[in-house]
Amino acid sequence: MGKIVSLITGWLLLFCISAVAQQPEGKAASASTGVIYGKLLDAQTGKPIEYASVALLRPDSSVQTGMLSKTNGDFRFENIPLNKYILKINFIGYETIYKPAAPSAKSGTIDVGNIKLKANVKSLAAVNVVGEKPAFTMAIDKRVFNVEKNLASIGGTATDVLKQVPSVNVDIDGNVTVRNGAPTIFIDGRPSTLTLDQIPADAIQNIEVVTNPSAKYDAEGMSGILNIVLKKNKKAGINGSVNAGATSLGSTNGGIDFNLRQEKFNFFINYNFRNRKSPMTSRLFRKNLGADTTTYTEQLEDGDFYRKFQTGRIGFDWFIDNRNTITISENITGGNFNRYNNQTVNELNDHQQKVRYGNGVNNTLNGFRNYTTQLGYKHTFAKEGEELTADFTYNYATGDNSSNYSLQYFDLSGQPVYDPEKPELRYGSGEGTTKYMTAQVDYVKPLTEKSKVEMGLRSNTRKFDNFTNTYGQNYPSGDFTLDTALSNSYHYQEQINAGYVSYTGAKDNFGYQVGLRAEQSNYDGETRLGKKSSYKISYPISLFPSIFLSQKFKGDHELQLNYSRRIRRPWFRDLLPNIDYSGQTASTGNPQLKPEFTNSFELSYLKDIAHKHNLLVSLYYRNTNNAITDFYVDTTLNLNGQDQHVLLSYPINASTRNSYGAEFTVRSQLTKIWDLTTNVNIAQTKIDATSNGNNLSNQGFIWFGKLNSNTKLPWNLSLQVSAEYESKQIMPQGEREPNWSADAAIKKDLLKNKALSISLGINDIFNTDRNLAYTSTSFSEQENYRKRATRELRLNATWRFGKMDTHLFKRKNNKPKENDNAEMGGGDNF
């Protein structure tokens, strides 16, 4: 780690020195002449402004020379006499800017930086500009889902948001897949210890979906990257919003978002709280295939899942000058996720007649705290597109847990049964900590207008420590003793070091990018309770190449072919040899699990039709070696001195997984008030796996569809309707039945400038969202039904406030407005 930090620090210093020392292209200033250059940008969009008038005035206001800004917003005056000058910049629709510039014998070359022109509100007052950011935008290599336009997830969490995103599947347990594969989930482009249920939907700006990332991105994730971009306002002056809501199930939420931007500083702070209640039901029905007889077991659970948490974020941007920016932020999240379940177990004979039953509880309480510190630096060079960025992220999370489990059997007359089975009574508690550090530096160097080189380094370090003590009651003494089968003390650590380089070029309408990423990973784990064991695995440098080829055609359509190599490393819970037991089922990790490697190919076609319809068609193929999948086995566990017959699941490495399919995404602006996004994915998957000599291979055809409709109605009303369908899913030892659900929401904008919005939504309109799976082994056939969320009404209100005042802290009558512009130059006059 020390070597990596030293390397990153050295590289950062090297580029910072070069940033200071670098001279812009063009003729150097002589001893008696100077050079003045800069760039014009739109203050709101950040885009270059071309053909703006730039005049160089002498102190007496006479014109020395002038020019029009270039296509990229650049302007440059060379071989001008050393003197004090004033730049006068004006363009139709923008306020006139005055900026002083004085090349001298000491500093003959002056970079006046990025000069941002603000729209002239008075001159545009008569123009009615109508335009909104769409809910979903598509590019050939990335899709962006605008969360602010999504009504169904207001008042929810990131899990609710991802359910609305095309290409993304989320099951009732919050597990996320893209094209039937697990993606890597980032927050603001970096790893995090936060779970999706710990991120408020109201704190998210957009979701970026990258199905086949280039070498610039982490190689982790079989089906690409999902990047959750959090809100960070940068509007001038004071602005923000306040929101609050409640649901029909008794859930509540609220929050505030505040931003202050003046001159060289941008300060932001937001706070959100969530109190969610979600009923849970499950039914497990198993056919036990014995050597001489067949019996049946039915396990029922019914309860509630409570999620209470608060999250706050505070930070600031310091615009040191037009070329250098430092950002610091802190995120704090804390709360409790508690599950309360009543359970019933019915044991049946071969005629499915009840012979006895058991009642009890299965409760778990979990508390957590998460702290995320981010430090970022960005330097932009005078040459357009050249920039250096560096950042450091530190996540520190703590957690505590407790459990209470009981199961008492009774005969058909209601009398307790003690022999041969004993009543089960256990309780436990534990805690853990996670530390996650990420350091990264990236550099982009344009070579020509159509070519550039990108390179970077990243180092990730994660440490996890956890212990859980579970005590079971012994009979007939009634004493509680430590149950080592359900207790653990575990340490896990991993470090991943990576570097990449890529080259992008183009000739006419043909573009290409080739890249190579190198990653080195080391991880080790140790159990410190009961039968102690440890492992230490060091993977040498693995190479992850990527190739992107694109061809643009006349008529706004584009074809792209790309390839990348991906990796999925086992998560620490996949490796943790701790048993999680509930009634007749149990799960554990596998310390022998290895990473899986995937070769991913994708052919995509994007067509824009009259700027109203966008069509994206993707054909893909993924070949995975050492594919990670779940394995189920009937076994007997000795828990607190009692033999329990359970169905145990744990992850294994299959030989291969091959998946190929097609994805169709169409976004249509059908009318001025109605847009529709449709996403359909079809795929064929085959898994080849063996365990203990058993052939676990399986294959099948699957498809997934999602529909999102947005309609603007009269009286400032907006209506959104979304629905999704997921076909049967295959597993090595079974299948999961189809699933579908639908949501709807309506929003009303009130007050001047639509400052107040009221929304009413209903999730899972037809109460159909559930999980139903069938699993078969040599000794059992099992049906597992689970349902977590039910139909729910959500009512939310949002009030937005703000004043775009760029002179908030300036004293009145200080200077004329024109002189203020001359002094501040408009460059950082936000």
Side-chain angles (χ1 to χ4, degrees):
M1 179 66 183
K3 294 181 179 179
I4 295 297
V5 174
S6 298
L7 181 58
I8 292 176
T9 304
W11 197 7
L12 178 60
L13 290 174
L14 175 63
F15 279 114
C16 288
I17 293 173
S18 67
V20 175
Q22 179 172 329
Q23 290 289 334
E25 295 179 349
K27 299 178 183 179
S30 67
S32 58
T33 61
V35 177
I36 299 176
Y37 66 94
K39 179 189 287 288
L40 305 183
L41 301 176
D42 185 293
Q44 183 175 3
T45 66
K47 294 182 178 180
I49 298 177
E50 59 179 322
Y51 305 123
S53 172
V54 184
L56 191 63
L57 307 181
R58 301 186 184 95
D60 60 359
S61 297
S62 61
V63 178
Q64 172 72 32
T65 183
M67 66 176 297
L68 297 178
S69 60
K70 297 180 181 180
T71 305
N72 61 1
D74 283 350
F75 64 90
R76 185 180 183 87
F77 300 106
E78 296 184 349
N79 297 323
I80 57 174
L82 300 180
N83 201 348
K84 293 182 178 181
Y85 296 99
I86 296 176
L87 286 167
K88 179 181 179 181
I89 300 136
N90 65 337
F91 191 56
I92 185 171
Y94 291 87
E95 294 181 357
T96 299
I97 294 292
Y98 293 86
K99 176 88 174 181
S104 62
K106 183 178 180 181
S107 178
T109 301
I110 300 297
D111 177 7
V112 295
N114 298 332
I115 300 178
K116 299 182 179 181
L117 275 63
K118 296 186 299 182
N120 191 328
V121 179
K122 292 182 180 180
S123 65
L124 294 179
V127 182
N128 184 21
V129 180
V130 179
E132 289 190 5
K133 188 177 180 180
F136 185 66
T137 57
M138 294 185 292
I140 199 72
D141 59 344
K142 181 169 63 175
R143 275 146 279 181
V144 180
F145 184 78
N146 182 12
V147 178
E148 293 180 350
K149 299 295 181 181
N150 183 51
L151 307 182
S153 63
I154 295 177
T157 66
T159 303
D160 301 300
V161 174
L162 289 175
K163 288 180 180 179
Q164 307 294 324
V165 178
S167 304
V168 179
N169 289 14
V170 183
D171 66 16
I172 65 170
D173 297 314
N175 299 312
V176 180
T177 57
V178 175
R179 294 178 179 174
N180 204 36
T184 295
I185 299 178
F186 286 154
I187 299 176
D188 286 333
R190 299 294 178 262
S192 174
T193 55
L194 288 172
T195 66
L196 295 176
D197 268 343
Q198 295 171 355
I199 305 172
D202 299 323
I204 302 174
Q205 179 174 316
N206 57 55
I207 304 290
E208 298 176 345
V209 183
V210 185
T211 54
N212 207 13
S214 68
K216 179 179 180 179
Y217 299 93
D218 276 14
E220 178 77 28
M222 182 181 70
S223 59
I225 291 174
L226 289 178
N227 185 31
I228 299 174
V229 181
L230 301 180
K231 291 179 180 178
K232 189 176 73 171
N233 204 330
K234 288 189 176 182
K235 293 180 180 179
I238 292 178
N239 55 85
S241 63
V242 179
N243 65 82
T247 77
S248 58
L249 296 179
S251 303
T252 57
N253 63 273
I256 183 170
D257 182 17
F258 177 83
N259 184 81
L260 169 64
R261 181 166 181 174
Q262 281 291 303
E263 301 179 9
K264 292 183 178 295
F265 290 94
N266 178 61
F267 172 78
F268 54 91
I269 183 172
N270 56 59
Y271 166 81
N272 287 274
F273 74 88
R274 293 291 180 276
N275 181 6
R276 301 195 66 182
K277 177 183 177 182
S278 176
M280 300 187 303
T281 59
S282 68
R283 176 181 182 265
L284 184 149
F285 187 77
R286 190 170 73 208
K287 181 179 182 181
N288 306 302
L289 304 174
D292 302 321
T293 184
T294 298
T295 61
Y296 298 86
T297 302
E298 181 184 46
Q299 177 181 324
L300 305 172
E301 286 194 353
D302 182 35
D304 291 301
F305 180 24
Y306 293 91
R307 286 166 286 180
K308 301 178 181 180
F309 68 96
Q310 304 176 71
T311 182
R313 189 173 187 228
I314 185 171
F316 69 90
D317 301 295
W318 177 25
F319 306 99
I320 302 173
D321 52 39
N322 286 339
R323 300 287 186 232
N324 299 280
T325 302
I326 290 178
T327 299
I328 298 175
S329 67
E330 180 72 24
N331 187 297
I332 303 175
T333 302
N336 301 91
F337 286 0
N338 300 332
R339 295 174 174 86
Y340 300 92
N341 280 311
N342 296 317
Q343 62 174 342
T344 299
V345 177
N346 298 317
E347 295 193 354
L348 317 172
N349 60 21
D350 57 345
H351 298 294
Q352 297 192 32
Q353 297 172 332
K354 185 189 296 185
V355 296
R356 68 174 184 172
Y357 65 94
N359 291 327
V361 298
N362 184 12
N363 302 331
T364 59
L365 310 179
N366 296 273
F368 64 90
R369 297 291 184 274
N370 186 91
Y371 308 87
T372 302
T373 304
Q374 291 182 304
L375 173 64
Y377 167 76
K378 181 177 181 179
H379 174 81
T380 58
F381 296 79
K383 185 173 183 178
E384 183 184 14
E386 184 177 5
E387 66 178 34
L388 170 73
T389 58
D391 60 67
F392 176 78
T393 302
Y394 177 69
N395 282 276
Y396 177 73
T398 63
D400 58 80
N401 64 84
S402 63
S403 62
N404 182 18
Y405 180 91
S406 66
L407 185 61
Q408 170 67 61
Y409 281 96
F410 301 87
D411 61 23
L412 296 184
S413 64
Q415 296 300 314
V417 175
Y418 294 99
D419 190 35
E421 297 287 348
K422 302 179 178 65
E424 298 178 52
L425 186 60
R426 292 190 298 274
Y427 70 90
S429 63
E431 61 184 36
T433 61
T434 302
K435 300 176 182 178
Y436 206 156
M437 292 173 285
T438 302
Q440 178 161 340
V441 59
D442 298 281
Y443 175 66
V444 182
K445 174 67 176 180
L447 302 177
T448 65
E449 290 186 359
K450 293 186 176 182
S451 66
K452 64 179 179 180
V453 173
E454 298 178 77
M455 60 186 70
L457 292 174
R458 172 183 279 195
S459 180
N460 294 338
T461 300
R462 177 170 55 193
K463 297 180 180 180
F464 175 82
D465 290 279
N466 181 80
F467 82 86
T468 299
N469 291 333
T470 301
Y471 295 87
Q473 189 175 34
N474 292 317
Y475 288 90
S477 68
D479 297 332
F480 284 87
T481 58
L482 183 68
D483 190 336
T484 57
L486 296 177
S487 302
N488 72 81
S489 179
Y490 191 77
H491 168 78
Y492 172 82
Q493 179 173 326
E494 73 174 22
Q495 181 166 340
I496 303 172
N497 303 317
Y500 76 91
V501 61
S502 67
Y503 174 80
T504 303
K507 185 175 182 181
D508 299 327
N509 290 325
F510 176 74
Y512 57 91
Q513 182 191 85
V514 292
L516 182 64
R517 186 178 187 90
E519 291 191 352
Q520 177 194 45
S521 57
N522 305 283
Y523 54 95
D524 60 82
E526 179 184 5
T527 58
R528 300 169 176 172
L529 184 67
K531 185 179 179 181
K532 297 183 180 180
S533 62
S534 63
Y535 62 86
K536 186 173 184 179
I537 304 175
S538 297
Y539 284 93
I541 293 177
S542 299
L543 300 179
F544 301 93
S546 65
I547 301 174
F548 290 75
L549 307 174
S550 65
Q551 176 68 52
K552 294 183 178 180
F553 303 95
K554 294 181 178 179
D556 291 327
H557 57 134
E558 181 179 354
L559 186 69
Q560 185 185 88
L561 175 66
N562 59 61
Y563 160 79
S564 69
R565 187 172 187 245
R566 313 289 300 161
I567 186 175
R568 178 190 170 191
R569 298 178 180 89
W571 178 232
F572 78 90
R573 294 192 183 277
D574 296 327
L575 303 168
L576 183 65
N578 179 53
I579 296 176
D580 185 6
Y581 172 70
S582 175
Q584 306 299 309
T585 62
S587 62
T588 186
N590 179 6
Q592 304 303 317
L593 204 62
K594 298 178 181 179
E596 64 176 32
F597 291 89
T598 298
N599 292 300
S600 180
F601 301 85
E602 185 172 342
L603 176 65
S604 299
Y605 172 77
L606 178 64
K607 171 66 176 175
D608 180 85
I609 305 173
H611 301 294
K612 292 184 178 181
H613 310 280
N614 302 101
L615 170 65
L616 178 62
V617 180
S618 298
L619 306 178
Y620 60 90
Y621 170 72
R622 293 195 300 260
N623 168 255
T624 302
N625 296 311
N626 292 332
I628 298 175
T629 188
D630 289 329
F631 175 66
Y632 295 83
V633 61
D634 287 278
T635 187
T636 299
L637 299 178
N638 186 274
L639 306 175
N640 195 42
Q642 303 178 44
D643 288 337
Q644 301 291 338
H645 187 71
V646 299
L647 184 67
L648 180 67
S649 66
Y650 57 89
I652 64 170
N653 287 110
S655 299
T656 59
R657 182 198 298 117
N658 291 292
S659 178
Y660 56 89
E663 185 176 17
F664 305 86
T665 306
V666 180
R667 183 187 179 275
S668 297
Q669 190 70 44
L670 299 176
T671 67
K672 291 183 178 180
I673 63 171
W674 183 28
D675 71 82
L676 188 68
T677 300
T678 306
N679 176 253
V680 177
N681 178 59
I682 57 177
Q684 176 76 18
T685 300
K686 181 179 180 181
I687 299 175
D688 293 321
T690 59
S691 181
N692 298 326
N694 298 317
N695 183 7
L696 307 176
S697 300
N698 201 353
Q699 63 179 333
F701 172 81
I702 61 174
W703 74 277
F704 166 80
K706 186 171 287 190
L707 184 70
N708 194 302
S709 170
N710 295 279
T711 308
K712 295 180 181 179
L713 302 175
W715 308 293
N716 288 330
L717 289 170
S718 300
L719 173 67
Q720 182 183 80
V721 178
S722 60
E724 64 177 330
Y725 176 86
E726 187 175 6
S727 73
K728 179 175 65 179
Q729 303 288 303
I730 68 165
M731 300 181 294
Q733 294 168 273
E735 61 186 33
R736 191 172 66 200
E737 289 301 291
N739 189 36
W740 69 279
S741 64
D743 305 324
I746 190 167
K747 184 181 74 169
K748 168 71 173 178
D749 292 324
L750 303 166
L751 304 183
K752 186 179 180 181
N753 298 325
K754 302 179 180 180
L756 176 64
S757 297
I758 307 292
S759 66
L760 178 65
I762 179 170
N763 294 87
D764 196 13
I765 299 173
F766 304 101
N767 204 24
T768 56
D769 191 14
R770 53 91 178 104
N771 187 307
L772 178 60
Y774 297 93
T775 305
S776 298
T777 71
S778 302
F779 304 98
S780 69
E781 297 175 2
Q782 179 172 284
E783 173 189 313
N784 193 350
Y785 168 89
R786 292 183 301 115
K787 183 171 179 59
R788 175 170 294 178
T790 60
R791 184 189 297 116
E792 182 180 30
L793 278 171
R794 293 181 178 179
L795 177 65
N796 284 272
T798 302
W799 174 59
R800 290 169 290 274
F801 60 89
K803 181 180 180 181
M804 291 189 63
D805 187 354
T806 60
H807 302 278
L808 192 64
F809 299 124
K810 286 189 174 292
R811 293 175 295 178
K812 292 182 179 181
N813 302 322
N814 189 25
K815 287 184 179 181
K817 184 176 181 180
E818 183 173 283
N819 288 341
D820 275 349
N821 281 333
E823 181 179 285
M824 297 179 61
D828 277 328
N829 188 7
F830 303 108

